[in-house]
Amino acid sequence: MQNVDYIIVGDGYAALFFAHQLILNNKSFVVFSEGKKSASQISAGIINPVVLKKFTTFWLAQEQINFLKKTLKEIESYTNENYLIESPIHRIFHDENEQKLWLRKSANDDLKNFLDENFHHLNRVKNDFLTGKVNQSARLHVKGFFEGLLGYLENNGNLIKEKFNYSEISAADSIYKDFKFKNILFCEGMAVKENPYFSDITVIPNKGHHIRVKLSESFPDDITIKKKHFLFPVENDLHFYGGTYDREQLHYEIDDSAVEQLQKGLSEFYPGNFQIREIHFGFRPTVKDRRPILGRHFEHSNFYVFNGLGARGILNGCYFSKILFDFIENNISLPSEVSIDRFK
């Protein structure tokens, strides 16, 4: 029997950022990874403090950006890799009204550090009304992040590559198979619906598609273009374009309508030819109030959940991993805005 401080179930942003907190604090743990590509692992990796439909920001945006940069530096210290891509978002304006709205919003205290007052023209794309740059925006190298972190955990004996079997938990004894644990944390995304301890949490699946395309004429690597969706370069001389949002078509197949939406959206501002080389989709775990769900099981006091990261999985996963760690280890109360207790 192996004694561990934590079992983590899941391998997305919530799981890996929480694992980082355990590494920082010298806690013993294992991560159970089924090995399937999660929504996190096929995500765009956009780090964006602005809602680009309405030019607004969100709760704790600056704090989350700052904490993410600090955390990625800490992760770099043991993986020897920097996963932050300094690639600012350029939002293509639809018309002059959007330009005026951007300028008005840029004067607000909560947005002045994010909305650049100077407009920019981009070559090789249609941007008749120019673009607005989102300061402090960036991307995470998603493939590198997951390969690097999971590889590090595997090399250090922290990774168990198998599907977690709920029927083998002895909740009364805090035992799972050959592990005696102090705490167990479930970071499973939409798979939480199969979890007998937390299946009732109110996460809503939001299906997202993205395509990887070969462009006839490429762009510099230092920007991310946004109109309806995001366009930026990835490996193998391809570009990522996506992703869509759909709460209706929830089957486990590619939706032709989503692919058509992406083709149309890219054609609106990219005048060249492009070929779709790959199509991917996943299911984001979203919450009605757009805030994650953290907390303790009502009956089993060492069972915890970390879910509902939605489309801001990187920022939410990073920032709230520390909040959750302090709740478990230091008995610091969770903010009511993210506590599982808000649904009682």
Side-chain angles (χ1 to χ4, degrees):
M1 186 70 65
Q2 181 178 344
N3 292 304
V4 293
D5 294 318
Y6 286 84
I7 288 177
I8 300 175
V9 182
D11 57 8
Y13 290 126
L16 294 194
F17 279 120
F18 192 84
H20 171 65
Q21 291 301 319
L22 301 184
I23 292 169
L24 285 184
N25 290 278
N26 297 311
K27 299 294 183 180
S28 58
F29 68 96
V30 289
V31 174
F32 277 84
S33 168
E34 188 176 349
K36 291 182 178 179
K37 290 274 185 171
S38 64
S40 294
Q41 295 184 42
I42 64 164
S43 66
I46 300 294
I47 300 163
N48 176 25
V50 178
V51 180
L52 288 171
K53 266 190 177 180
K54 303 175 182 177
F55 308 150
T56 57
T57 189
F58 50 86
W59 184 52
L60 298 173
Q62 186 66 68
E63 290 88 343
Q64 291 193 40
I65 291 281
N66 294 345
F67 191 76
L68 176 65
K69 290 180 178 178
K70 172 179 175 290
T71 299
L72 291 177
K73 282 289 186 184
E74 294 167 349
I75 291 172
E76 183 180 357
S77 71
Y78 57 83
T79 64
N80 299 314
E81 295 289 342
N82 179 2
Y83 304 114
L84 184 66
I85 302 172
E86 299 283 2
S87 177
I89 297 167
H90 284 255
R91 165 64 150 80
I92 295 177
F93 295 122
H94 292 82
D95 51 37
E96 289 182 357
N97 288 330
E98 280 198 337
Q99 290 180 332
K100 293 174 183 177
L101 178 61
W102 178 286
L103 287 176
R104 286 202 306 273
K105 292 291 186 77
S106 69
N108 294 352
D109 286 343
D110 59 344
L111 284 161
K112 64 184 180 182
N113 292 328
F114 301 138
L115 301 184
D116 197 300
E117 294 178 344
N118 300 308
F119 295 156
H120 304 264
H121 179 267
L122 301 181
N123 296 321
R124 303 177 190 169
V125 294
K126 298 175 184 176
N127 56 126
D128 295 341
F129 297 96
L130 307 179
T131 71
K133 185 175 76 167
V134 181
N135 295 325
Q136 302 191 58
S137 60
R139 296 200 318 272
L140 184 74
H141 189 310
V142 175
K143 185 172 184 287
F145 177 82
F146 282 100
E147 288 181 352
L149 265 292
L150 291 171
Y152 177 85
L153 295 178
E154 184 173 14
N155 290 339
N156 286 274
N158 300 114
L159 187 65
I160 310 293
K161 292 182 174 181
E162 63 181 58
K163 182 178 173 65
F164 191 85
N165 187 345
Y166 306 107
S167 67
E168 296 196 49
I169 299 179
S170 172
D173 301 315
S174 297
I175 290 173
Y176 177 72
K177 291 189 174 181
D178 297 327
F179 294 96
K180 172 79 172 174
F181 58 87
K182 289 183 181 178
N183 302 291
I184 185 166
L185 174 63
F186 296 98
C187 308
E188 305 161 288
M190 287 313 308
V192 74
K193 290 302 183 182
E194 301 170 12
N195 184 325
Y197 301 98
F198 290 104
S199 60
D200 60 342
I201 68 169
T202 55
V203 289
I204 305 161
N206 189 316
K207 189 175 184 180
H209 286 71
H210 78 258
I211 54 178
R212 296 191 176 216
V213 297
K214 175 69 173 177
L215 303 178
S216 60
E217 193 171 2
S218 193
F219 302 97
D221 290 351
D222 59 351
I223 61 168
T224 298
I225 299 172
K226 171 72 163 70
K227 196 171 185 186
K228 288 184 177 176
H229 308 287
F230 292 100
L231 177 71
F232 56 84
V234 289
E235 61 276 357
N236 302 321
D237 201 28
L238 299 180
H239 278 71
F240 177 111
Y241 185 66
T244 61
Y245 293 84
D246 192 343
R247 291 191 173 93
E248 304 298 328
Q249 302 294 324
L250 300 179
H251 52 78
Y252 284 83
E253 297 175 359
I254 292 170
D255 295 320
D256 291 338
S257 60
V259 178
E260 289 173 11
Q261 179 189 145
L262 291 169
Q263 287 177 298
K264 182 180 178 182
L266 182 53
S267 297
E268 283 183 9
F269 69 92
Y270 180 69
N273 297 318
F274 60 87
Q275 298 176 335
I276 297 177
R277 296 290 178 86
E278 300 174 19
I279 303 170
H280 300 272
F281 69 87
F283 295 87
R284 310 174 188 91
T286 63
V287 185
K288 191 173 183 179
D289 62 9
R290 298 179 183 269
R291 290 181 180 164
I293 299 174
L294 290 67
R296 178 185 286 129
H297 193 270
F298 71 95
E299 181 181 354
H300 304 294
S301 61
N302 60 342
F303 282 43
Y304 297 90
V305 68
F306 188 9
N307 209 309
L309 302 188
R312 299 191 189 104
I314 297 168
L315 291 171
N316 280 334
C318 181
Y319 186 80
F320 290 105
S321 65
K322 178 65 162 59
I323 300 290
L324 181 58
F325 179 85
D326 285 340
F327 170 67
I328 299 171
E329 292 290 333
N330 302 317
N331 202 30
I332 297 175
S333 297
L334 293 172
S336 59
E337 293 91 342
V338 298
S339 172
I340 193 173
D341 294 341
R342 71 189 189 270
F343 299 109
K344 287 183 178 178

